[in-house]
Amino acid sequence: MKDKISIVGAGLVGSLLAVILKQKGFEVQIFEKRTDPRKSKALEGRSINLALSQRGIKPLKLAGVYETIEPYLIPMNGRMMHSKDGDLTYQPYGKEGQFINSVSRAQLNQLLIESAEAAGVQVFFDHKCKDVDFKKNFIVFENGSKVESDLIIGTDGAFSAIRKKLQITDRFNFSQHYIEHGYKELCIEPKDGNFRLEPNYLHIWPRGNFMLIALPNNDKTFTCTLFFPFEGSPSFDSLNSIEAVNSFFKEYFNDALELIPDLADQFFNNPTSTLVTTKCEPWNNNRSILLGDAAHAIVPFYGQGMNSGFEDVRLFIEKAEEMDWDWDKVLPSYSSMRKKDADAISELALHNFIEMRDHVGDPSFLKRKKLEAQIQEKFPADWIPLYSMVTFSDMPYSEALRLGKIQKKIMDDVLKEDNPESKIDQAISQFNALKKVD
Ligand code: FAD
């Protein structure tokens, strides 16, 4: 346990990993390109929030930091769909008592960095990694410093500097794909000190090729995110005047428009950001490895980017314990075990965009969800809906994807029947048979 471990990137994944490795007795240091957020006041200004669920909570508990974070979470019990006319439809995420949590990304990051420091991890801000020598195990920073380590872990996000260095090593595969949609965040301010929408839901305005969502913050604001094409009509390109933005919102998101009186200001002042999927392999080279977004960045539509990164941390630690911390075995073994699950959640996330923007408002989708809930209620041990397998369990993502595909086929068939409810027993026997032999 005397190994010196260097983690590049004090984001969500890097700081959580540092806490646990330090607790295991290693000498751990993190190098972060940003200035200390506590000094730069990064916490002030726009709130960006994320949905935290089971796969993320389990590693936070393992690190003993969940109790510190829990008071900052806002439970979201289900989706609240807003129709064009402002009608609301509620759809629970899971069984009674199952919910996901809205959390401020900056707040969570700060709590994790503070937990790492409290555990004895040295955190070096203003250290931007610019080079890595994978053979001699050292990192070079833009400020001229150079650090040697027994293990180098790249948790430096979707545009990882460590991954860029791996890209110029032999037999390293890499791909990236930008979807044709980008996103823009907008804020719904509180009114008379209160939330302007019901806080315990994830609000969605599904509109076919685009959508708006809103998640609650502790300061009683909501962060809205518009997922929208860059080009075409309508698109970020076509909304090029105050009038165009206002009349577009009036037509598609009228009830939200009423809650954002300074919409045009926000629309033209807040940045428009891209959405990328990256895949690469192998994640390891000699004594270096990538975790979190650096290894597998995904689109945000399943709310699993951070959750899967936290799960990486748990599985990496479990693998290391199982292999007695022999890094030469742990690194390749963890990477090859985890890759198929990263690919699976990447596929699920892309698919869930279509479900969220296109289907959630459909009566046929709601009918499907209702029937699925009935099947689950009657056979709770046999049938767990795909969303619940991903969000409320820690079953491997690849297994959830496989079972979800079988379920979809069965549901498609059952829903063609005149009386689908009468086919529930048949659906379950079919599922139990197929899941074994598939
Ligand atoms: P990051 O959080 O990106 O951290 C990387 C760190 O590395 C940063 O601190 C960065 O400054 C630092 N760094 C970068 N380059 C260098 C360098 N060269 N040297 C030193 N340091 C460096 N996930 C969810 O689970 N639920 C959600 O609801 C959700 N919603 C999302 C919504 C949107 C719009 C987006 C874009 C993402 C969302 N995600 C969500 C995904 C989530 O934000 C990421 O998966 C998560 O932040 C990844 O954590 P990370 O630590 O791997 O990377």
Side-chain angles (χ1 to χ4, degrees):
M1 298 300 191
K2 290 276 177 259
D3 285 352
K4 183 169 146 188
I5 301 178
S6 292
I7 298 177
V8 176
L12 301 172
V13 174
S15 4
L16 176 63
L17 179 63
V19 174
I20 302 180
L21 286 172
K22 185 68 199 174
Q23 289 166 349
K24 299 290 176 190
F26 293 101
E27 188 188 330
V28 185
Q29 33 190 0
I30 317 186
F31 299 94
E32 167 57 47
K33 74 173 178 187
R34 289 172 298 160
T35 296
D36 187 339
R38 292 160 295 193
K39 290 182 189 149
S40 69
K41 303 199 171 159
L43 277 179
E44 290 172 16
R46 288 189 309 134
S47 315
I48 297 177
N49 46 27
L50 306 169
L52 173 71
S53 52
Q54 170 65 17
R55 287 174 203 267
I57 291 173
K58 193 166 175 179
L60 290 169
K61 286 187 173 165
L62 179 75
V65 296
Y66 184 66
E67 276 182 15
T68 317
I69 287 157
E70 203 177 4
Y72 296 90
L73 306 179
I74 304 180
M76 297 182 290
N77 300 306
R79 296 166 170 159
M80 186 63 85
M81 270 86 70
H82 295 240
S83 76
K84 264 174 114 177
D85 298 330
D87 297 331
L88 300 179
T89 314
Y90 171 63
Q91 192 203 329
Y93 275 130
K95 292 186 289 190
E96 182 134 13
Q98 287 183 322
F99 52 85
I100 60 175
N101 303 278
S102 178
V103 63
S104 150
R105 179 178 167 155
Q107 187 82 60
L108 178 59
N109 204 165
Q110 174 160 334
L111 292 169
L112 288 173
I113 290 174
E114 282 168 357
S115 301
E117 286 175 337
V121 172
Q122 281 185 289
V123 185
F124 297 92
F125 292 97
D126 301 304
H127 273 66
K128 182 173 181 184
C129 164
K130 75 162 190 186
D131 204 358
V132 190
D133 187 317
F134 296 113
K135 286 204 177 80
K136 296 187 186 141
N137 283 334
F138 66 79
I139 311 167
V140 182
F141 296 93
E142 268 191 7
N143 61 16
S145 55
K146 181 176 153 183
V147 173
E148 271 188 66
S149 317
D150 299 296
L151 178 64
I152 297 171
I153 305 181
T155 51
D156 48 344
F159 302 98
S160 165
I162 310 254
R163 193 193 62 225
K164 279 183 195 138
K165 288 291 152 188
L166 282 170
Q167 279 170 239
I168 50 171
T169 61
D170 202 18
R171 299 191 65 213
F172 184 80
N173 293 312
F174 171 71
S175 69
Q176 69 179 23
H177 174 73
Y178 286 91
I179 60 168
E180 62 190 35
H181 293 68
Y183 69 95
K184 188 182 282 288
E185 278 151 346
L186 304 163
C187 179
I188 298 179
E189 296 289 344
K191 188 175 181 197
D192 304 327
N194 285 318
F195 283 109
R196 298 196 67 176
L197 289 168
E198 282 295 320
N200 295 116
Y201 305 106
L202 190 153
H203 292 263
I204 308 189
W205 291 256
R207 297 293 182 264
N209 189 32
F210 53 89
M211 68 176 179
L212 182 72
I213 65 169
L215 275 74
N217 296 307
N218 277 314
D219 60 4
K220 309 244 192 291
T221 59
F222 271 88
T223 303
C224 296
T225 312
L226 173 65
F227 294 99
F228 204 40
F230 278 102
E231 281 131 21
S233 181
S235 68
F236 284 120
D237 243 15
S238 74
L239 298 190
N240 51 16
S241 67
I242 295 176
E243 296 71 38
V245 170
N246 283 330
S247 73
F248 168 77
F249 267 71
K250 195 168 175 39
E251 178 173 358
Y252 291 100
F253 307 121
N254 195 28
D255 58 340
L257 174 64
E258 287 164 14
L259 308 176
I260 317 177
D262 59 341
L263 172 71
D265 272 357
Q266 291 198 38
F267 195 90
F268 290 112
N269 288 323
N270 295 351
T272 306
S273 307
T274 54
L275 292 163
V276 70
T277 299
T278 66
K279 290 184 180 179
C280 64
E281 70 177 327
W283 293 335
N284 59 301
N285 184 321
N286 192 25
R287 286 294 192 94
S288 298
I289 187 158
L290 305 172
L291 260 70
D293 273 18
H296 47 78
I298 60 176
V299 291
F301 305 111
Y302 230 116
Q304 285 293 313
M306 163 189 63
N307 287 293
S308 65
F310 285 174
E311 190 173 60
D312 286 357
V313 171
R314 176 177 68 82
L315 295 171
F316 180 71
I317 296 289
E318 283 174 7
K319 184 57 81 182
E321 272 175 334
E322 184 191 313
M323 301 193 140
D324 208 16
W325 310 97
D326 180 346
W327 301 121
D328 296 326
K329 289 188 185 146
V330 173
L331 269 48
S333 174
Y334 162 79
S335 300
S336 59
M337 167 198 74
R338 183 66 169 154
K339 174 74 171 117
K340 61 181 183 318
D341 294 315
D343 288 346
I345 189 58
S346 172
E347 181 180 336
L348 285 162
L350 281 165
H351 183 262
N352 214 43
F353 185 28
I354 301 167
E355 177 158 320
M356 284 177 86
R357 69 179 203 215
D358 236 349
H359 298 159
V360 290
D362 270 9
S364 62
F365 177 84
L366 295 170
K367 191 172 158 196
R368 178 179 290 255
K369 288 282 160 188
K370 204 171 145 203
L371 184 67
E372 241 200 325
Q374 285 173 338
I375 302 180
Q376 191 191 15
E377 203 181 322
K378 194 162 176 197
F379 298 99
D382 295 298
W383 185 289
I384 304 169
L386 176 59
Y387 186 85
S388 299
M389 289 191 275
V390 171
T391 309
F392 301 121
S393 88
D394 52 20
M395 152 192 311
Y397 287 122
S398 52
E399 180 65 355
L401 176 65
R402 184 184 79 88
L403 296 178
K405 283 181 177 167
I406 301 174
Q407 288 177 338
K408 179 176 181 308
K409 166 118 197 24
I410 293 173
M411 290 295 286
D412 287 347
D413 291 345
V414 170
L415 283 161
K416 281 183 204 144
E417 302 283 341
D418 290 339
N419 182 6
E421 283 78 11
S422 67
K423 301 289 173 192
I424 287 180
D425 289 16
Q426 187 185 315
I428 264 303
S429 356
Q430 221 182 335
F431 179 57
N432 284 339
L434 282 172
K435 74 178 174 192
K436 277 190 215 128
V437 294
D438 196 79

